[in-house]
Amino acid sequence: MASRRMGPPRGRRADRGIPASREGRTGSRDQSAKLAAAPRAKTPTRSYVVFESRFAQDLFCAVPTSLPIPGFLTDAGWQFRGTLGKRGFMPPGFRAAAARKAASRDGFYLFSPPHSED
């Protein structure tokens, strides 16, 4: 008895039946039109818990609310300042892109406001 191959014929995708050689040309155009017409979902704004150093002037530390608070922030050297988010306060010098990168690497983001030269 000859073995029978299961699945779609060669060169065809099982989910659409489009020849593999034509899929890239036709499928991508149709898919692009659908994506352009669909409304985009808003990405949620990440919120942070912000602490200020009691000893170093203008030094802040932001921790995403989804992560645990590092132990050094619970010491007497740091004071809770508030929650930064959609409607929270925004200390000067906070940069969202840098905060995301630092928090993903270290679990927190240290920053200070820019100082102007007098």
Side-chain angles (χ1 to χ4, degrees):
M1 178 187 254
S3 68
R4 191 169 165 193
R5 185 174 176 261
M6 299 300 284
R10 289 181 195 221
R12 293 196 181 268
R13 295 264 321 237
D15 55 346
R16 290 190 232 153
I18 299 172
S21 61
R22 293 186 50 182
E23 178 187 359
R25 286 181 261 146
T26 307
S28 63
R29 199 175 324 130
D30 293 340
Q31 188 176 13
S32 297
K34 286 179 187 175
L35 289 175
R40 292 180 186 242
K42 290 185 178 182
T43 54
T45 303
R46 181 178 278 189
S47 58
Y48 296 85
V49 179
V50 180
F51 295 86
E52 183 177 10
S53 174
R54 293 179 190 226
F55 303 111
Q57 184 179 3
D58 293 331
L59 179 64
F60 294 91
C61 184
V63 180
T65 55
S66 61
L67 295 177
I69 304 294
F72 73 91
L73 293 173
T74 60
D75 291 342
W78 292 89
Q79 177 182 6
F80 173 76
R81 295 293 298 184
T83 302
L84 182 135
K86 210 169 196 176
R87 293 198 243 286
F89 82 103
M90 180 70 78
F94 181 84
R95 295 186 342 227
R100 279 191 302 275
K101 188 174 182 179
S104 68
R105 182 186 63 233
D106 303 322
F108 58 89
Y109 168 58
L110 291 172
F111 66 100
S112 63
H115 295 286
S116 60
E117 302 275 332
D118 291 56

